[in-house]
Amino acid sequence: MSMIFLKRFIKEPTRVASIIPSSPMLVNRVMATMDHSAPRIIAEYGPGEGVHTRALLKRAHKDSRLLLFELDPELAEYNRKQFADDKRVEVICDDCEKLPLIAEERGIEAFDYIFSGIPFSTMDKDKKQGIMDANYQCLKPGGDFIIYQITNELKRFGEHFDRIDSSWCAMNIPPMYVTVYHKNGAASSARVRRINESENGSEVIRDRETA
Ligand SMILES: C[S@@+](CC[C@H](N)C(=O)[O-])C[C@H]1O[C@@H](n2cnc3c(N)ncnc32)[C@H](O)[C@@H]1O
C-alpha cells in the first residue's frame, strides 16, 4: 500500500480514483504493448506514485524521453524527487489536455506512445473527445495511445484511430481493460478500421470500411 496514494485519494477521490496502485500483472500487460528497442518519445498521463513509470524506465532506451502529466501537485512533486536522477524524465504538473501545447513549447513534433491511467469515465464528454483528438494529432504515424481502464467506453471517442485492440486483465483490483488505439503508419491505408476484442479468452474481430 502506497501511503501517498491513499492520502491523495482521501483528498481528491474523483481525480485520483484509486486507493492502490496498479498490480504488477497490469503493469506488465501495459509494458508489453510498447517496443523499447530504439529511442522513443513517450507521454504518460496520471502516473500517480509512478508504478508504471518505474517499469517503463527499466525497459526504455537510454535516449528515450518521457513526459509525465500529473495533475495532483503532491504526486507530481513525489515523482520529481523519485525520478530526479533520470534525465529521460520530465514531470509536468498540469492537465494532460495540454499535451499539444507542452509538446510545441519543447519542440516535440510527435510521440511514439502516449499511455494513460487517468479516470476518463468521470470526465465530461467534450473534454474526453478533446483529449482523444489531441492524442491522435500528437502521435507519429504508427504510434499508439494505450489506456488501462475499468470500462471500454472510451472507444466511442476514439473513432479516428485506425485499429483498436483490447484485452482484459483480471489480475488487478479492480480488473481493467488494456486498450491500444493505433494510428496507421504513413504507408498504410486508413481505409479499414479493425476492432479486436479479447475478453476472457474469446476473441471477436470486426472489420469495417471507413472511407
Ligand atoms: C487511478 S490513478 C492511476 C495511478 C497510476 N498510474 C497507477 O496505475 O497506479 C489516476 C492518476 O491520474 C491523475 N489525473 C487525473 N486526471 C488527470 C488529468 N486530467 N491530467 C493529468 N493527471 C490526471 C490523478 O491525480 C492520479 O494520480
Side-chain angles (χ1 to χ4, degrees):
M1 169 77 67
S2 162
M3 284 321 287
I4 183 157
F5 209 47
L6 181 60
K7 203 174 111 197
R8 298 314 294 160
F9 174 79
I10 291 165
K11 188 94 179 154
E12 296 282 354
T14 312
R15 188 166 76 194
V16 175
S18 176
I19 54 165
I20 46 171
S22 293
S23 70
M25 285 69 77
L26 178 61
V27 172
N28 284 337
R29 184 76 71 90
V30 172
M31 291 304 126
T33 64
M34 292 179 255
D35 168 16
H36 295 295
S37 57
R40 306 287 182 215
I41 301 177
I42 303 168
E44 180 181 1
Y45 298 164
E49 59 72 71
V51 64
H52 288 266
T53 321
R54 290 189 292 276
L56 181 104
L57 290 170
K58 275 188 198 149
R59 294 161 172 81
H61 192 279
K62 66 176 177 44
D63 297 322
S64 286
R65 186 165 180 190
L66 175 60
L67 302 190
L68 303 181
F69 286 80
E70 177 49 66
L71 201 48
D72 186 281
E74 286 197 24
L75 289 168
E77 190 49 30
Y78 182 84
N79 284 319
R80 248 181 222 122
K81 287 188 183 136
Q82 176 177 200
F83 302 118
D85 294 335
D86 196 319
K87 66 173 177 47
R88 296 172 292 181
V89 181
E90 181 183 356
V91 180
I92 293 140
C93 183
D94 212 332
D95 199 303
C96 65
E97 69 182 353
K98 305 248 182 80
L99 178 77
L101 179 71
I102 303 272
E104 195 186 342
E105 282 173 1
R106 283 151 184 76
I108 296 174
E109 279 180 23
F111 291 79
D112 295 283
Y113 299 114
I114 301 169
F115 75 105
S116 172
I118 67 170
F120 272 95
S121 42
T122 55
M123 218 179 258
D124 78 51
K125 283 184 185 168
D126 288 348
K127 181 162 176 166
K128 255 191 274 214
Q129 191 63 66
I131 293 175
M132 289 302 277
D133 293 350
N135 289 340
Y136 189 83
Q137 176 207 324
C138 290
L139 280 170
K140 291 179 185 174
D144 289 322
F145 169 63
I146 302 139
I147 182 161
Y148 45 99
Q149 256 203 315
I150 299 169
T151 74
N152 241 335
E153 55 92 33
L154 200 62
K155 279 183 179 175
R156 285 188 288 129
F157 301 88
E159 296 223 317
H160 30 20
F161 283 86
D162 302 299
R163 201 181 70 235
I164 305 174
D165 296 316
S166 193
S167 71
W168 174 247
C169 179
M171 302 296 279
N172 190 67
I173 302 172
M176 298 252 179
Y177 288 99
V178 176
T179 303
V180 180
Y181 293 78
H182 184 70
K183 177 173 176 173
N184 272 354
S188 356
S189 159
R191 287 212 182 102
V192 177
R193 182 179 300 163
R194 171 175 287 189
I195 300 176
N196 297 336
E197 291 178 0
S198 175
E199 251 175 78
N200 300 326
S202 67
E203 190 157 334
V204 183
I205 300 180
R206 293 197 299 267
D207 285 348
R208 57 191 158 122
E209 295 294 326
T210 59

